[in-house]
Amino acid sequence: MRSARSSLSALALITTSLTTLAHAAPSAPAPAVQAAQDGAAGNRLPRAGTATARPAPRPTAGAGQAGSIAAHTTGGTVRAPGLASAPPTRASGVERLTVHGDSVQVRAGGGMIQPGSEPQASSLVGQDFIARQAPTSTAYELVAQMPGANVSGSDPFGFSPQTNISIRGMNGDAIGYVLEGMPLNDIAYYTGYPSQFADSENYESVAVQQGAPDLDSPVLNAAGGLMKLRFRTPSDKAGGFVNASYGSYNTNRQFLRLESGEIGRTGLRGFVSYSHAQTDNWRGPGRDERQHVDFKLEKTWGHGNSAAFLGSWNQAIDSYYPQATLESWRQDGIHGANNLAARFDPTNDAAGTDYWRLARQPERTLYMGAPVTLHFDHGLTLRAMPYAQGAYGNAPGGTQLPVSGLFNGATPVQDTLNAPVVVDDYATVRADYTQRSYRSGFTAALDWTRGHNTLSVGYWYDYGDDAERETFAVVGANGHAGSIWGATPILAAPGQPLVGADNHTIAQTNALFLGDRLSLLHDRLLLSAGFKEVMASRTGTNGVPGAVWRTGTNTAVPLPRLGARFQITPHHQVFFDATTNFRTPAETAMYDGYDPTSGALIQKGTTSLRNEYSIAEELGYRYADDRVVGTLTLFNYNFTNRQIATLAMVNGAPVQSTLNAGGQTSRGVDVEVGLRPWHHFSPYVSGEYLHATIDNDLYSGGDWLPTRGRRAVRSPTLQAAGGLTYDDGHLFGVITAHYTGHQYATFMNDERIPGHVTANLALGYRLADVAVLHRPEFRLNFINISNQHYLSGVADPTLNARDTQGRNGTVIAGETPDYYIGGGFATLFTASTGF
């Protein structure tokens, strides 16, 4: 690898006519120059044509992403953002353009930072950084070094769904997730499941917009930002990429991607990949298995037009990692009661309900989308993304039911329960909580560019069908309870299963948006404004006997925004944005819930909860030259009707519900700086200071908890991360470290977990081409190299951990929060090659 001042070792010639390219709107994707990647996916530069070389120019704040250079038009010539182009020459009646730029190996900070040009904060990791990480890494783990990102995991390799992320103190269910414009959030709870999204080898980039989702993003819950995932571009040449990994805890993984190359002269090209992985539960019994398929088929033609069909299929069966209380953590750490039992023993204190096979979690998901971009005359561009998704999963667990005196909802069960395993008149059973969801929709936007102005108008429609049901299956003397995908349920009456939950929700979203972008002063000044009107409805039925049968909500929310970016000099840039966001309550808040052991109401469904609404502002500064890339961002959030899941007293009964927690204010500063390689070394640092406070007292137990002015949960005051990358084209290595300060787990701030530091290391070597093998590579990834045993995050916050006197003198009982236990030390060896 050469220094940042050196040129590309090989350059592609763009043979498209300048006259044709001039019709492309500035935001439209254009033919890409694919940079050759050492040790990456085996993509190679086209051999046609010749290339000239010269010293690479200094990049500007609009530099393109790793691996591709998007061409833009300026005054009749084609320019790539952040790159300089040689004067066009004419040969054989075809105008050609030689483009020079940085190869992927010279990205600042080892690929952990990219220059930006939009009027909003954003961080991005590219293929060069991703390719050096463990291939099991999820999207959460790939962005863990970004400012404000706090990742809480349960295992070292990212298999477990017991994981979470918060950004600027906003929980993972307040973050939108999109794959090339297709939404990935759970339609019921808004959460993201990163192990389902894609294999890391297929990501071109993973970006996080910490405070402002795009105007056309199809998400309802993005007050905490937007995570944007992008697949790699299919190769122009037929070939592929393969790797195999083996490591700690009997982990093994195999991955194969096949590239079609351009099919004839159709402009059609694609890839499909398959991976299989297994690992042992690192601190208890059980084994995880995952199978995954990614695919993308893309066609480009004409004036930058493109159409694609892409998606992911995932099937996983995961073991369970119990969360720990602070008391159990201090007593047992990663051992003892903080793990499930390896053998079924109905005589133990848990009556066998802690047997690990009763908590195996199966899931299947399928995401599909078809992004289309069409350019027309008169500066018109149509962008559309139709999508369809399906998911099924079971979150089971062992529990006990009385053999007599059962209730099906509010209705007494007359018969006694006949079960093989009964201890003290209680039967050991498995509770199966299944969720089956279908989702489809589309976004469509029409952009009209005239001179220096681009006007956009668009529409988003989303239809969701979600069915959730909790049934119970008898456990045999050997601990077996039938299929983990959902066994034959216990019947409360002939043909009527015993249920703890049985709801079915139809959700529809209609959103209209209008935006305008105005470029002035030769693109030094960019002004943007937008407005989005979101109309959301839910219609639900509750099949639990005695519950309210039908329920529903309707809401309409206006969401204005504005932003500005000014390029002071070629190296200095400032930006500002103000955005609004909202979030509807989780759909389960609409439904009544009953305890099957007593018939008591444990949750009172409500449709009167107000939507959470937030106003966010950012003021930022960016610097980029041929050595340094950096960003400093000040941010401020104001929330009203903040949604908090908690317990309240309703008619003397404790009810789990979602309460209006009033306001919250969050303020802070993010910073990240990366250097382009110097003698093959590329350092990176990031940090955040966050001051997030609760603005209201919270209602609980018929009184008000004195929470006003206290720190928000999951909001560490200080976070810092750093990385150092070395890459000379053959030998490479990267070390990253992350510090997370202490964070509160209760709104009374009477319990917290201490700060922790974790670090990862990667070492590897790339060979030159060997016969048909393109740059074979050998890599060792070391995860949590200091083998820290630590609580990685707050799983279930509560209002107060200790008994607390309310404002009116009532003693409000405390409830203990639960925490994620972070993954231990692990190593993974990977051998890979393109072909």
Side-chain angles (χ1 to χ4, degrees):
M1 185 184 69
R2 292 178 287 182
S3 70
R5 297 180 183 272
S6 66
S7 61
L8 288 172
S9 59
L11 301 172
L13 295 178
I14 301 177
T15 59
T16 307
S17 167
L18 289 178
T19 304
T20 300
L21 287 174
H23 288 285
S27 60
V33 178
Q34 186 68 40
Q37 296 185 38
D38 289 335
N43 278 5
R44 305 186 189 183
L45 290 172
R47 297 181 181 273
T50 58
T52 59
R54 65 176 183 177
R58 294 184 179 184
T60 67
Q65 297 176 358
S68 65
I69 302 167
H72 292 246
T73 61
T74 305
T77 60
V78 179
R79 297 185 184 276
L83 303 173
S85 60
T89 60
R90 187 177 299 274
S92 302
V94 178
E95 292 187 352
R96 299 186 178 222
L97 181 68
T98 303
V99 178
H100 303 268
D102 296 336
S103 66
V104 295
Q105 289 85 5
V106 297
R107 297 295 177 181
M112 286 184 274
I113 185 172
Q114 306 272 352
S117 61
E118 289 298 304
Q120 61 194 40
S122 179
S123 300
L124 180 146
V125 295
Q127 280 184 350
D128 46 343
F129 172 76
I130 296 171
R132 299 181 184 107
Q133 307 310 300
T136 58
S137 299
T138 68
Y140 282 4
E141 292 159 330
L142 293 175
V143 304
Q145 306 304 310
M146 292 181 179
N150 178 20
V151 178
S152 305
S154 298
D155 72 308
F157 291 126
F159 282 78
S160 174
Q162 278 86 58
T163 187
N164 193 20
I165 188 174
S166 64
I167 295 178
R168 294 179 179 173
M170 257 62 81
N171 195 42
D173 59 355
I175 299 169
Y177 308 95
V178 294
L179 172 61
E180 298 204 19
M182 173 175 57
L184 302 175
N185 292 76
D186 185 288
I187 62 176
Y189 305 100
Y190 305 120
T191 49
Y193 304 103
S195 62
Q196 300 175 5
F197 291 168
D199 282 325
S200 63
E201 293 93 339
N202 295 327
Y203 285 132
E204 178 180 281
S205 63
V206 180
V208 171
Q209 295 172 189
Q210 287 91 342
D214 296 327
L215 181 66
D216 58 355
S217 294
V219 292
L220 287 177
N221 63 311
L226 184 70
M227 182 178 291
K228 301 172 67 174
L229 313 173
R230 184 167 185 81
F231 271 157
R232 58 179 293 108
T233 300
S235 175
D236 288 326
K237 292 191 61 178
F241 179 74
V242 62
N243 67 32
S245 304
Y246 184 79
S248 304
Y249 316 113
N250 292 316
T251 301
N252 67 83
R253 181 179 184 271
Q254 306 82 38
F255 174 88
L256 172 66
R257 181 176 62 244
L258 298 176
E259 301 268 7
S260 70
E262 184 173 2
I263 302 174
R265 297 180 179 273
T266 64
L268 191 67
R269 54 185 178 173
F271 73 78
V272 61
S273 71
Y274 170 79
S275 69
H276 175 267
Q278 292 180 306
T279 188
D280 289 341
N281 187 301
W282 78 273
R283 59 182 174 88
R287 187 161 175 82
D288 303 341
E289 182 177 11
R290 176 181 183 266
Q291 299 183 76
H292 190 89
V293 174
D294 291 327
F295 62 90
K296 183 175 183 179
L297 185 66
E298 182 179 58
K299 176 179 173 61
T300 58
W301 75 96
H303 302 172
N305 302 308
S306 66
F309 178 53
L310 56 90
S312 290
W313 173 85
N314 190 83
Q315 175 176 297
I317 300 176
D318 297 308
S319 60
Y320 184 70
Y321 287 91
Q323 285 83 57
T325 65
L326 198 58
E327 180 180 0
S328 68
W329 171 251
R330 290 167 176 166
Q331 178 176 330
D332 293 323
I334 64 172
H335 306 290
N338 290 329
N339 297 307
L340 296 178
R343 294 177 177 81
F344 180 65
D345 182 6
T347 65
N348 65 14
D349 292 341
T353 61
D354 58 350
Y355 183 42
W356 73 272
R357 289 187 180 275
L358 299 180
R360 298 170 71 202
Q361 305 164 96
E363 60 186 9
R364 289 193 187 104
T365 57
L366 175 64
Y367 304 109
M368 295 184 296
V372 177
T373 300
L374 300 174
H375 296 279
F376 305 99
D377 292 334
H378 309 294
L380 293 175
T381 300
L382 175 66
R383 296 177 288 113
M385 166 58 96
Y387 57 86
Q389 302 169 5
Y392 177 82
N394 185 15
T399 189
Q400 287 187 288
L401 293 176
V403 296
S404 61
L406 276 171
F407 285 79
N408 197 21
T411 304
V413 176
Q414 301 302 321
D415 296 335
T416 60
L417 177 58
N418 183 16
V421 180
V422 177
V423 178
D424 296 331
D425 294 326
Y426 274 81
T428 298
V429 301
R430 187 184 71 196
D432 291 323
Y433 197 102
T434 60
Q435 179 185 13
R436 186 188 303 274
S437 61
Y438 303 98
R439 184 180 193 180
S440 60
F442 68 90
T443 58
L446 185 64
D447 303 330
W448 180 38
T449 300
R450 188 172 181 84
H452 302 288
N453 192 75
T454 299
L455 179 68
S456 300
V457 59
Y459 172 61
W460 169 40
Y461 175 75
D462 186 89
Y463 179 90
D465 183 328
D466 184 69
E468 301 186 26
R469 199 181 202 197
E470 184 183 40
T471 58
F472 304 91
V474 296
V475 175
N478 61 354
H480 183 67
S483 171
I484 59 174
W485 295 95
T488 302
I490 295 171
L491 299 181
Q496 187 177 21
L498 179 69
V499 294
D502 187 8
N503 55 72
H504 183 201
T505 308
I506 302 296
Q508 297 188 72
T509 301
N510 291 269
L512 296 169
F513 54 88
L514 177 68
D516 189 75
R517 292 165 64 93
L518 178 61
S519 177
L520 300 172
L521 304 177
H522 303 286
D523 200 32
R524 292 179 61 193
L525 176 63
L526 175 65
L527 302 175
S528 67
F531 180 83
K532 190 173 188 176
E533 179 75 12
V534 180
M535 297 153 283
S537 67
R538 285 173 172 163
T539 302
T541 56
N542 191 348
V544 175
V548 175
W549 165 247
R550 186 173 294 276
T551 185
T553 63
N554 288 278
T555 188
V557 182
L559 301 172
R561 60 168 54 205
L562 59 89
R565 180 263 294 159
F566 182 66
Q567 193 75 39
I568 304 171
T569 72
H571 303 313
H572 301 270
Q573 181 189 114
V574 293
F575 66 90
F576 168 80
D577 69 271
T579 58
T580 55
N581 289 283
F582 90 108
R583 175 185 169 187
T584 57
E587 68 179 35
T588 50
M590 300 191 302
Y591 300 108
D592 295 339
Y594 294 87
D595 183 352
T597 67
S598 65
L601 182 72
I602 58 174
Q603 174 172 300
K604 178 63 178 174
T606 179
T607 59
S608 61
L609 293 176
R610 296 181 180 181
N611 295 318
E612 177 183 287
Y613 194 83
S614 65
I615 301 174
E617 301 95 12
E618 294 178 319
L619 177 62
Y621 163 77
R622 296 187 179 109
Y623 180 84
D625 64 16
D626 59 352
R627 283 298 180 201
V628 180
V629 177
T631 303
L632 175 71
T633 306
L634 308 176
F635 58 86
N636 177 72
Y637 296 84
N638 289 282
F639 292 89
T640 57
N641 301 313
R642 186 81 161 128
Q643 295 169 19
I644 305 296
T646 184
L647 292 176
M649 298 299 294
V650 178
N651 300 321
V655 176
Q656 185 175 1
S657 186
T658 303
L659 299 181
N660 184 341
Q664 178 177 313
T665 301
S666 299
R667 294 170 179 163
V669 57
D670 287 339
V671 61
E672 61 177 338
V673 179
L675 271 63
R676 300 182 188 275
W678 180 75
H679 296 286
H680 310 304
F681 286 97
S682 305
Y684 170 86
V685 293
S686 71
E688 178 179 89
Y689 170 78
L690 174 65
H691 184 80
T693 57
I694 303 167
D695 297 340
N696 298 81
D697 293 337
L698 301 184
Y699 183 81
S700 178
D703 204 342
W704 295 92
L705 277 170
T707 56
R708 182 182 303 173
R710 300 184 187 272
R711 293 298 181 98
V713 298
R714 296 194 183 102
S715 300
T717 301
L718 294 175
Q719 290 190 84
L724 180 63
T725 300
Y726 176 89
D727 195 328
D728 65 9
H730 291 285
L731 179 66
F732 66 90
V734 56
I735 183 170
T736 58
H738 192 283
Y739 166 75
T740 303
H742 68 260
Q743 47 189 312
Y744 290 104
T746 68
F747 293 88
M748 275 299 298
N749 294 173
D750 54 2
E751 187 169 301
R752 72 181 192 183
I753 57 175
H756 59 269
V757 178
T758 56
N760 300 330
L761 174 67
L763 297 172
Y765 190 82
R766 305 185 194 97
L767 302 174
D769 290 358
V770 180
V772 298
L773 303 181
H774 178 57
R775 302 306 300 271
E777 177 183 299
F778 303 96
R779 182 170 76 255
L780 270 172
N781 290 97
F782 302 88
I783 300 166
N784 188 6
I785 56 177
S786 59
N787 196 23
Q788 294 291 310
H789 293 172
Y790 64 103
L791 298 176
S792 62
V794 181
D796 298 304
T798 63
L799 292 176
N800 52 302
R802 304 171 186 169
D803 294 349
T804 304
Q805 183 172 336
R807 295 290 189 188
N808 299 327
T810 304
V811 176
I812 301 171
E815 184 180 5
T816 303
D818 294 327
Y819 305 94
Y820 296 107
I821 298 176
F825 170 75
T827 62
L828 191 69
F829 171 76
T830 302
S832 62
T833 184
F835 58 89

